[in-house]
Amino acid sequence: MDLSADYVTTLLPGLLRGLRETLLIFSMTLLLSLPLGLPVALGSISRFWPVRLLCRIYVWLFRGTPLMLQLFFFYYGLGILANSYDMPFLRLNRFSAVILTFALNYAAYFAEIYRAGIQSIDRGQYEAAKTLGFSRTRTMFRIIIPQTIRRIIPPVSNETITLVKDTALANVIAVPELLKVAKDASNRDTNPSAYLLAAGVYLIITFVLTVVYQRLEKRFSRHEQEAV
């Protein structure tokens, strides 16, 4: 173990590049999966049974299979199909495969969180909105979803923190994120110090996210108490 200033200085450029990839995967996954989860959640409770069935199958598939297996499918599996059937549009580069896989996977988890939050709202809210002449769509977006947001912050924060750690799975298809850089440095120098530094970075990111979500919870809880 070598944590001397000179050795850490030699590791920093590579670790910073890996951190940039990690943060890019993290931010793009959230940017895509958080909004995608909402129509899937609404579809899974839709009165139109084909839409409901399709959304529930989607959630079942992505929550029921390992994220690593999904990565292999979208990168290697689609690549094999592209070569076998002359469909080059199916071939994804490593980074695109990671973003697509992570976005679809986390959208399924967020969809279930949204669905549970929506269904936790008292049915009397719907009846009251109907009495006031609100359409079903207006009721959902003006009354139900704003209340749901307050309730889903804790489970969303848990999934977000899990996502930070799951970004490390991108190294299985050789995406140069933080863990991949640390592993390469450790193998090259036969020194595990890079792993220790990478662990420290993950801990800092999760600590910051924990603080942010705790403040959001307090803020929304205060507003809810004032509304009551």
Side-chain angles (χ1 to χ4, degrees):
M1 183 78 71
D2 181 5
L3 287 174
S4 65
D6 289 341
Y7 183 62
V8 170
T9 301
T10 63
L11 292 176
L12 277 180
L15 291 176
L16 288 175
R17 287 193 297 272
L19 175 60
R20 182 185 62 189
E21 291 292 305
T22 291
L23 293 178
L24 193 56
I25 294 169
F26 172 79
S27 58
M28 290 191 68
T29 299
L30 281 186
L31 186 64
L32 295 170
S33 62
L34 281 171
L36 178 59
L38 182 57
V40 175
L42 295 176
S44 67
I45 58 176
S46 170
R47 294 176 178 177
F48 188 49
W49 73 263
V51 172
R52 185 172 67 248
L53 180 62
L54 183 64
C55 290
R56 290 185 178 181
I57 289 174
Y58 164 77
V59 170
W60 173 67
L61 281 174
F62 279 92
R63 293 180 76 229
T65 54
L67 179 54
M68 186 183 296
L69 179 61
Q70 294 165 23
L71 274 171
F72 286 150
F73 172 78
F74 281 107
Y75 183 62
Y76 296 113
L78 290 185
I80 292 171
L81 289 175
N83 293 333
S84 300
Y85 297 98
D86 193 24
M87 295 187 292
F89 61 88
L90 289 177
R91 191 178 297 108
L92 302 174
N93 62 44
R94 287 183 171 84
F95 189 77
S96 298
V98 167
I99 298 303
L100 178 62
T101 306
F102 274 61
L104 291 175
N105 179 276
Y106 271 83
Y109 282 92
F110 288 134
E112 279 297 277
I113 292 172
Y114 297 158
R115 181 194 58 76
I118 290 169
Q119 292 184 324
S120 72
I121 304 298
D122 186 80
R123 297 299 302 178
Q125 301 269 2
Y126 294 90
E127 299 298 328
K130 186 176 181 180
T131 302
L132 293 172
F134 280 40
S135 67
R136 182 174 174 82
T137 300
R138 191 180 179 194
T139 299
M140 183 61 68
F141 286 95
R142 293 290 298 275
I143 297 174
I144 304 302
I145 290 179
Q147 294 180 72
T148 300
I149 291 173
R150 303 188 189 110
R151 301 188 179 191
I152 65 173
I153 290 177
V156 167
S157 70
N158 290 337
E159 287 300 322
T160 303
I161 290 170
T162 299
L163 172 59
V164 173
K165 296 174 285 185
D166 277 351
T167 57
L169 288 174
N171 87 91
V172 300
I173 58 172
V175 173
E177 47 70 56
L178 183 60
L179 182 61
K180 176 73 165 57
V181 172
K183 182 171 68 174
D184 290 346
S186 179
N187 292 339
R188 181 191 67 228
D189 303 333
T190 61
N191 187 333
S193 300
Y195 284 127
L196 187 62
L197 293 172
V201 173
Y202 285 118
L203 287 171
I204 291 171
I205 296 172
T206 55
F207 173 75
V208 171
L209 289 172
T210 300
V211 171
V212 168
Y213 276 109
Q214 284 176 345
R215 291 185 177 181
L216 281 175
E217 284 184 56
K218 289 180 181 178
R219 181 177 179 181
F220 277 104
S221 296
R222 185 171 65 250
H223 290 332
E224 193 167 9
Q225 290 170 1
E226 289 173 356
V228 173

